[in-house]
Amino acid sequence: MSEKAERDKKAIATFYAELNRFGQNGEYERAIKTSNKILNLAPQEFLAFHYKVVCLIELGKFDEAIRLLNGNAQFDEQLVFERAYCLYRANKHEEALKTIEKIENLDLRSKELRAQILYRLEKYDDAATLYREIVKNTDDDYEDERHTNLSAVMVYLEDEDTKDRIE
Amino acid sequence: LPPAMEPIPAKPLFYDLALNFVELPDLTEKLEGGQPKQKGAGISGFVKGLWGWGKK
Protein backbone atom coordinates (compact mmCIF):
# COMPACT_ATOMS: atom_id res chain seq x y z
CA MET A 1 0.00 0.00 0.00
CA SER A 2 1.35 3.42 -0.90
CA GLU A 3 2.01 5.94 1.83
CA LYS A 4 -0.91 8.06 0.73
CA ALA A 5 -3.33 5.12 0.75
CA GLU A 6 -2.16 4.23 4.25
CA ARG A 7 -2.63 7.81 5.38
CA ASP A 8 -6.12 7.98 3.83
CA LYS A 9 -7.14 4.74 5.51
CA LYS A 10 -6.17 6.12 8.91
CA ALA A 11 -7.95 9.40 8.21
CA ILE A 12 -11.10 7.53 7.18
CA ALA A 13 -11.05 5.47 10.39
CA THR A 14 -10.78 8.69 12.42
CA PHE A 15 -13.59 10.30 10.44
CA TYR A 16 -15.85 7.30 11.02
CA ALA A 17 -15.32 7.57 14.78
CA GLU A 18 -16.22 11.27 14.51
CA LEU A 19 -19.24 10.46 12.33
CA ASN A 20 -20.51 7.93 14.86
CA ARG A 21 -20.24 10.51 17.67
CA PHE A 22 -22.04 13.25 15.73
CA GLY A 23 -24.77 10.82 14.68
CA GLN A 24 -25.37 9.59 18.22
CA ASN A 25 -25.59 13.18 19.44
CA GLY A 26 -28.00 14.21 16.70
CA GLU A 27 -25.48 16.71 15.27
CA TYR A 28 -26.56 16.11 11.70
CA GLU A 29 -24.99 19.19 10.06
CA ARG A 30 -21.58 18.25 11.43
CA ALA A 31 -22.14 14.59 10.54
CA ILE A 32 -22.78 15.60 6.92
CA LYS A 33 -19.50 17.51 6.82
CA THR A 34 -17.65 14.48 8.15
CA SER A 35 -19.40 12.18 5.65
CA ASN A 36 -18.19 14.53 2.92
CA LYS A 37 -14.62 14.26 4.19
CA ILE A 38 -14.82 10.47 3.94
CA LEU A 39 -16.47 10.53 0.52
CA ASN A 40 -13.84 12.97 -0.79
CA LEU A 41 -11.14 10.45 0.07
CA ALA A 42 -13.18 7.35 -0.85
CA PRO A 43 -16.25 7.97 -3.03
CA GLN A 44 -17.31 4.31 -2.79
CA GLU A 45 -17.71 4.31 1.01
CA PHE A 46 -21.34 3.26 1.17
CA LEU A 47 -21.76 3.67 4.94
CA ALA A 48 -20.67 7.31 4.77
CA PHE A 49 -23.06 7.89 1.89
CA HIS A 50 -25.94 6.16 3.70
CA TYR A 51 -25.17 8.26 6.79
CA LYS A 52 -25.30 11.47 4.77
CA VAL A 53 -28.66 10.58 3.21
CA VAL A 54 -30.23 9.83 6.61
CA CYS A 55 -28.81 13.07 8.08
CA LEU A 56 -30.35 15.07 5.23
CA ILE A 57 -33.69 13.36 5.95
CA GLU A 58 -33.38 14.17 9.66
CA LEU A 59 -32.78 17.81 8.71
CA GLY A 60 -35.83 17.82 6.42
CA LYS A 61 -33.68 18.42 3.31
CA PHE A 62 -35.56 16.01 1.08
CA ASP A 63 -34.85 17.66 -2.28
CA GLU A 64 -31.16 17.72 -1.52
CA ALA A 65 -31.27 14.04 -0.53
CA ILE A 66 -33.03 13.17 -3.80
CA ARG A 67 -30.39 15.10 -5.78
CA LEU A 68 -27.66 13.26 -3.93
CA LEU A 69 -29.26 9.87 -4.62
CA ASN A 70 -29.79 10.76 -8.29
CA GLY A 71 -26.12 11.60 -8.65
CA ASN A 72 -24.98 8.27 -7.20
CA ALA A 73 -26.79 5.52 -9.07
CA GLN A 74 -24.26 2.94 -7.79
CA PHE A 75 -25.89 3.07 -4.32
CA ASP A 76 -29.45 3.15 -5.62
CA GLU A 77 -30.51 -0.41 -4.94
CA GLN A 78 -29.43 -0.25 -1.33
CA LEU A 79 -31.37 2.90 -0.46
CA VAL A 80 -34.73 2.37 -2.18
CA PHE A 81 -36.68 2.89 1.04
CA GLU A 82 -34.85 6.15 1.79
CA ARG A 83 -35.39 7.40 -1.76
CA ALA A 84 -39.11 6.57 -1.64
CA TYR A 85 -39.39 8.32 1.73
CA CYS A 86 -37.75 11.50 0.37
CA LEU A 87 -40.08 11.51 -2.64
CA TYR A 88 -43.05 11.06 -0.30
CA ARG A 89 -41.99 14.01 1.83
CA ALA A 90 -41.28 16.09 -1.28
CA ASN A 91 -44.93 15.50 -2.28
CA LYS A 92 -43.92 13.43 -5.30
CA HIS A 93 -46.34 10.70 -4.32
CA GLU A 94 -46.72 8.94 -7.68
CA GLU A 95 -42.98 8.65 -8.03
CA ALA A 96 -42.68 7.53 -4.42
CA LEU A 97 -45.17 4.73 -5.02
CA LYS A 98 -43.35 3.58 -8.17
CA THR A 99 -40.10 3.54 -6.23
CA ILE A 100 -41.40 1.57 -3.25
CA GLU A 101 -43.00 -0.95 -5.58
CA LYS A 102 -39.58 -1.80 -6.97
CA ILE A 103 -38.86 -3.59 -3.69
CA GLU A 104 -39.63 -7.29 -3.85
CA ASN A 105 -41.01 -8.76 -0.63
CA LEU A 106 -41.75 -5.50 1.16
CA ASP A 107 -40.47 -5.45 4.72
CA LEU A 108 -42.47 -3.81 7.50
CA ARG A 109 -41.04 -0.32 7.13
CA SER A 110 -41.65 -0.36 3.38
CA LYS A 111 -45.23 -1.49 3.91
CA GLU A 112 -45.71 1.30 6.44
CA LEU A 113 -44.39 3.85 3.95
CA ARG A 114 -46.44 2.36 1.11
CA ALA A 115 -49.62 2.69 3.20
CA GLN A 116 -48.81 6.36 3.85
CA ILE A 117 -48.18 6.99 0.16
CA LEU A 118 -51.48 5.28 -0.77
CA TYR A 119 -53.24 7.56 1.73
CA ARG A 120 -51.73 10.67 0.13
CA LEU A 121 -52.75 9.35 -3.30
CA GLU A 122 -56.31 8.94 -1.95
CA LYS A 123 -56.22 5.21 -2.67
CA TYR A 124 -58.09 4.55 0.55
CA ASP A 125 -59.22 1.01 -0.23
CA ASP A 126 -55.67 -0.18 -0.81
CA ALA A 127 -54.41 1.78 2.19
CA ALA A 128 -57.03 0.22 4.47
CA THR A 129 -56.21 -3.31 3.29
CA LEU A 130 -52.50 -2.73 3.83
CA TYR A 131 -52.97 -1.14 7.27
CA ARG A 132 -55.09 -4.09 8.41
CA GLU A 133 -52.32 -6.43 7.32
CA ILE A 134 -49.63 -4.35 9.06
CA VAL A 135 -51.62 -4.07 12.30
CA LYS A 136 -52.18 -7.82 12.33
CA ASN A 137 -48.50 -8.63 11.82
CA THR A 138 -46.75 -6.12 14.05
CA ASP A 139 -46.15 -5.73 17.73
CA ASP A 140 -44.24 -2.50 18.36
CA ASP A 141 -44.59 0.82 20.17
CA TYR A 142 -46.56 2.44 17.36
CA GLU A 143 -49.81 0.44 17.59
CA ASP A 144 -51.86 3.47 18.72
CA GLU A 145 -50.52 5.72 15.99
CA ARG A 146 -51.13 3.01 13.41
CA HIS A 147 -54.74 2.64 14.51
CA THR A 148 -55.08 6.42 14.25
CA ASN A 149 -53.83 6.23 10.66
CA LEU A 150 -56.24 3.41 9.86
CA SER A 151 -59.06 5.50 11.34
CA ALA A 152 -58.06 8.40 9.08
CA VAL A 153 -58.27 6.10 6.07
CA MET A 154 -61.69 4.87 7.23
CA VAL A 155 -63.00 8.45 7.46
CA TYR A 156 -62.49 8.83 3.71
CA LEU A 157 -63.75 5.34 2.93
CA GLU A 158 -67.00 6.17 4.72
CA ASP A 159 -67.15 9.45 2.82
CA GLU A 160 -66.87 7.61 -0.47
CA ASP A 161 -69.58 5.16 0.56
CA THR A 162 -71.87 8.08 1.42
CA LYS A 163 -71.16 9.68 -1.93
CA ASP A 164 -71.99 6.42 -3.67
CA ARG A 165 -75.31 6.28 -1.90
CA ILE A 166 -76.23 9.84 -2.82
CA GLU A 167 -75.38 9.48 -6.50
CA LEU B 1 -71.53 39.91 0.87
CA PRO B 2 -69.23 37.05 1.79
CA PRO B 3 -70.83 33.63 1.34
CA ALA B 4 -72.27 32.08 4.45
CA MET B 5 -69.86 29.96 6.42
CA GLU B 6 -70.28 26.24 6.15
CA PRO B 7 -68.96 23.57 8.46
CA ILE B 8 -66.51 21.20 6.81
CA PRO B 9 -65.27 17.89 8.18
CA ALA B 10 -62.06 18.15 10.20
CA LYS B 11 -58.99 16.69 8.59
CA PRO B 12 -58.26 13.45 10.43
CA LEU B 13 -55.01 13.02 12.33
CA PHE B 14 -52.43 11.05 10.38
CA TYR B 15 -48.98 10.13 11.68
CA ASP B 16 -45.78 9.74 9.70
CA LEU B 17 -44.65 6.42 11.18
CA ALA B 18 -42.25 5.64 8.36
CA LEU B 19 -39.92 8.39 9.63
CA ASN B 20 -39.26 6.25 12.70
CA PHE B 21 -37.82 3.59 10.43
CA VAL B 22 -35.34 5.91 8.73
CA GLU B 23 -32.30 5.04 10.81
CA LEU B 24 -28.63 5.88 10.78
CA PRO B 25 -26.64 2.79 9.75
CA ASP B 26 -24.56 0.92 12.32
CA LEU B 27 -20.90 1.90 12.01
CA THR B 28 -19.53 -0.82 14.33
CA GLU B 29 -17.51 -2.47 11.58
CA LYS B 30 -15.69 0.83 10.99
CA LEU B 31 -14.95 1.52 14.66
CA GLU B 32 -12.29 0.32 17.12
CA GLY B 33 -14.57 -2.23 18.75
CA GLY B 34 -15.21 -3.92 15.42
CA GLN B 35 -11.57 -4.84 14.92
CA PRO B 36 -10.94 -8.25 16.54
CA LYS B 37 -10.67 -9.81 13.07
CA GLN B 38 -8.04 -7.31 12.05
CA LYS B 39 -5.98 -8.22 15.11
CA GLY B 40 -5.76 -11.76 13.75
CA ALA B 41 -4.69 -10.35 10.43
CA GLY B 42 -2.10 -8.28 12.26
CA ILE B 43 -0.51 -11.35 13.91
CA SER B 44 -0.44 -13.35 10.68
CA GLY B 45 0.97 -10.26 9.03
CA PHE B 46 3.70 -10.23 11.69
CA VAL B 47 4.43 -13.94 11.04
CA LYS B 48 4.56 -13.31 7.31
CA GLY B 49 6.79 -10.39 8.07
CA LEU B 50 9.22 -12.72 9.87
CA TRP B 51 9.35 -15.04 6.86
CA GLY B 52 9.90 -12.08 4.62
CA TRP B 53 12.64 -10.87 6.99
CA GLY B 54 14.35 -14.26 6.65
CA LYS B 55 14.34 -13.98 2.91
CA LYS B 56 15.86 -10.51 2.92
Side-chain angles (χ1 to χ4, degrees):
Chain A
M1 202 184 280
S2 76
E3 238 176 76
K4 184 184 181 301
E6 191 67 53
R7 216 168 42 234
D8 284 356
K9 204 179 148 194
K10 276 192 189 142
I12 289 169
T14 312
F15 289 145
Y16 266 117
E18 200 177 279
L19 190 58
N20 193 50
R21 204 171 56 241
F22 289 148
Q24 306 273 320
N25 295 338
E27 295 179 77
Y28 302 118
E29 298 275 6
R30 299 176 85 175
I32 288 172
K33 281 185 189 150
T34 303
S35 296
N36 285 339
K37 287 181 195 166
I38 297 173
L39 292 165
N40 280 338
L41 292 174
Q44 297 308 319
E45 278 292 320
F46 174 69
L47 278 172
F49 184 82
H50 187 174
Y51 228 81
K52 187 176 174 184
V53 171
V54 174
C55 287
L56 286 171
I57 292 174
E58 295 288 352
L59 292 167
K61 296 181 173 177
F62 305 110
D63 289 318
E64 201 177 326
I66 293 167
R67 273 200 302 279
L68 182 68
L69 288 162
N70 284 345
N72 290 273
Q74 74 273 29
F75 299 134
D76 232 18
E77 278 178 28
Q78 295 167 90
L79 295 172
V80 179
F81 172 81
E82 284 76 8
R83 169 189 286 271
Y85 183 79
C86 289
L87 290 165
Y88 163 79
R89 290 296 300 272
N91 290 324
K92 295 173 180 165
H93 300 132
E94 292 282 358
E95 216 180 314
L97 186 62
K98 269 185 213 152
T99 304
I100 203 85
E101 282 175 350
K102 279 184 205 157
I103 303 177
E104 289 171 36
N105 301 320
L106 291 187
D107 51 3
L108 166 70
R109 62 180 194 159
S110 307
K111 282 183 184 168
E112 189 94 62
L113 176 56
R114 185 164 181 268
Q116 288 177 208
I117 297 169
L118 290 169
Y119 177 79
R120 292 287 173 227
L121 285 168
E122 303 182 8
K123 297 184 177 182
Y124 301 118
D125 273 318
D126 294 343
T129 310
L130 188 51
Y131 267 125
R132 287 206 186 89
E133 188 202 318
I134 298 170
V135 167
K136 209 191 292 173
N137 296 313
T138 47
D139 178 24
D140 60 17
D141 293 339
Y142 306 119
E143 304 270 301
D144 290 345
E145 286 87 347
R146 211 168 274 126
H147 275 109
T148 305
N149 285 4
L150 179 55
S151 310
V153 174
M154 298 311 283
V155 167
Y156 291 103
L157 270 183
E158 277 167 21
D159 262 14
E160 280 177 10
D161 287 350
T162 321
K163 262 184 257 161
D164 286 347
R165 276 203 298 277
I166 294 167
E167 278 161 10
Chain B
L1 268 175
M5 285 217 258
E6 282 178 46
I8 55 160
K11 211 175 156 196
L13 196 59
F14 191 80
Y15 291 104
D16 179 5
L17 287 181
L19 177 61
N20 298 306
F21 300 113
V22 177
E23 285 173 342
L24 288 169
D26 180 11
L27 297 182
T28 310
E29 62 175 279
K30 298 284 182 185
L31 303 176
E32 293 290 329
Q35 283 187 342
K37 275 182 210 156
Q38 286 188 2
K39 248 182 204 166
I43 289 164
S44 71
F46 172 69
V47 173
K48 266 183 229 157
L50 276 179
W51 288 118
W53 176 70
K55 278 176 203 161
K56 267 182 208 170

